[in-house]
């Protein structure tokens, strides 16, 4: 990769950032709510399987992220999964006054914020572990959905462009443990800070 070029993971994250910013800056709240509702209907489905989502999940997707065969590419999986989860997280909340995308609120940090008691810790950690030990996009998307619902119920935002980057890298078996390591560090560094 030439100097100045961005990695595919960064390109995927930037694509999601642009899509969320487009929704945020739209002056038509009806259209925004309709787009988020369409995205929610895509949760749990394969990227590309719902033509009504092609415009938001594939239009202007950088060429390097576009699949070349009959299966969704790593980029398509990461973008699609993240955008549908964002729509779930944003449901019932005003995008302008309570956006559930927040830069710097990485997955481990956001999940750690859910823990207030030792009972919470066992319940939340079990769900987080299930997501982190997933070995396919279908599996991790399923477990992340449960975590997003918990974050949504507590109004805790998440950095969706960063999650996109993480999910892109997570699909490479040789990079998966590195992503898990980052999530663990985020989770436990929050614990250490809260005890200081």
């Amino acid at each position: 990769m030439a100097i100045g070029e961005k990695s595919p993971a960064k390109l995927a994250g930037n694509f999601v950032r642009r899509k969320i910013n487009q929704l945020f800056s739209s002056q038509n709240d009806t259209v925004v709510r309709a787009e988020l509702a369409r995205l929610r209907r895509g949760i749990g489905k394969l990227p590309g399987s719902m033509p009504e989502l092609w415009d938001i999940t594939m239009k202007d997707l950088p060429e390097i992220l576009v699949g070349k065969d009959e299966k969704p590419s790593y980029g398509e999986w990461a973008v699609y999964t993240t955008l549908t989860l964002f729509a779930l997280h944003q449901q019932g909340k005003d995008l302008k006054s309570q956006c559930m995308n927040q830069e710097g609120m990485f997955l481990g940090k956001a999940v750690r914020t859910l823990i207030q008691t030792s009972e919470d810790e066992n319940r939340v950690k079990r769900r987080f572990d299930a997501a982190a030990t997933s070995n396919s996009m279908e599996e991790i998307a399923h477990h992340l959905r449960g975590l997003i619902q918990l974050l949504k119920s507590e109004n805790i935002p998440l950095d969706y462009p960063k999650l996109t980057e993480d999910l892109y890298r997570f699909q490479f078996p040789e990079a998966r443990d590195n992503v898990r390591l980052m999530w663990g560090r985020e989770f436990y560094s929050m614990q250490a800070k809260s005890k200081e």
Side-chain angles (χ1 to χ4, degrees):
M1 188 169 291
I3 294 175
E5 284 186 37
K6 292 193 175 178
S7 72
K10 287 275 186 207
L11 289 172
N14 287 338
F15 179 83
V16 165
R17 181 177 289 107
R18 277 193 312 277
K19 292 295 181 173
I20 291 173
N21 286 341
Q22 286 170 3
L23 291 169
F24 185 82
S25 61
S26 173
Q27 298 304 310
N28 191 332
D29 290 340
T30 304
V31 169
V32 170
R33 281 194 301 274
E35 287 205 357
L36 290 171
R38 279 191 300 147
L39 281 166
R40 282 192 296 276
R41 287 193 294 277
I43 292 175
K45 298 193 172 58
L46 285 176
S49 66
M50 295 181 65
E52 63 267 30
L53 297 183
W54 292 349
D55 61 332
I56 194 163
T57 62
M58 293 187 203
K59 183 180 177 185
D60 300 322
L61 191 66
E63 187 65 30
I64 195 169
L65 301 176
V66 176
K68 308 294 186 246
D69 58 21
E70 71 282 354
K71 295 179 184 174
S73 70
Y74 292 165
E76 290 164 341
W77 261 117
V79 163
Y80 180 89
T81 301
T82 306
L83 286 172
T84 57
L85 290 173
F86 170 73
L88 173 65
H89 201 166
Q90 195 61 51
Q91 185 178 18
K93 300 173 189 334
D94 179 68
L95 188 59
K96 301 266 194 289
S97 64
Q98 194 176 18
C99 184
M100 290 292 103
N101 177 56
Q102 181 181 317
E103 188 176 336
M105 185 57 93
F106 305 141
L107 183 62
K109 180 179 180 180
V111 170
R112 184 73 209 178
T113 306
L114 288 165
I115 298 172
Q116 303 300 319
T117 68
S118 59
E119 288 174 9
D120 288 345
E121 180 149 13
N122 293 332
R123 178 178 55 89
V124 170
K125 181 75 168 58
R126 191 169 48 250
R127 285 181 174 226
F128 191 38
D129 289 352
T133 57
S134 298
N135 287 310
S136 71
M137 282 304 291
E138 293 93 339
E139 185 182 2
I140 195 167
H142 170 76
H143 291 299
L144 284 174
R145 182 180 185 177
L147 287 171
I148 296 305
Q149 287 171 325
L150 290 175
L151 294 172
K152 176 184 171 188
S153 70
E154 297 296 326
N155 297 318
I156 299 168
L158 183 62
D159 187 328
Y160 278 92
K162 177 66 166 68
L163 180 62
T164 307
E165 293 176 30
D166 291 349
L167 290 179
Y168 182 88
R169 287 193 278 274
F170 196 85
Q171 294 173 79
F172 293 90
E174 66 277 9
R176 198 168 290 151
D177 283 342
N178 294 337
V179 174
R180 289 174 178 143
L181 175 63
M182 285 187 315
W183 288 345
R185 285 175 177 164
E186 294 160 8
F187 184 84
Y188 283 106
S189 69
M190 278 296 295
Q191 181 183 29
K193 287 177 185 170
S194 66
K195 289 182 177 177
E196 290 175 358

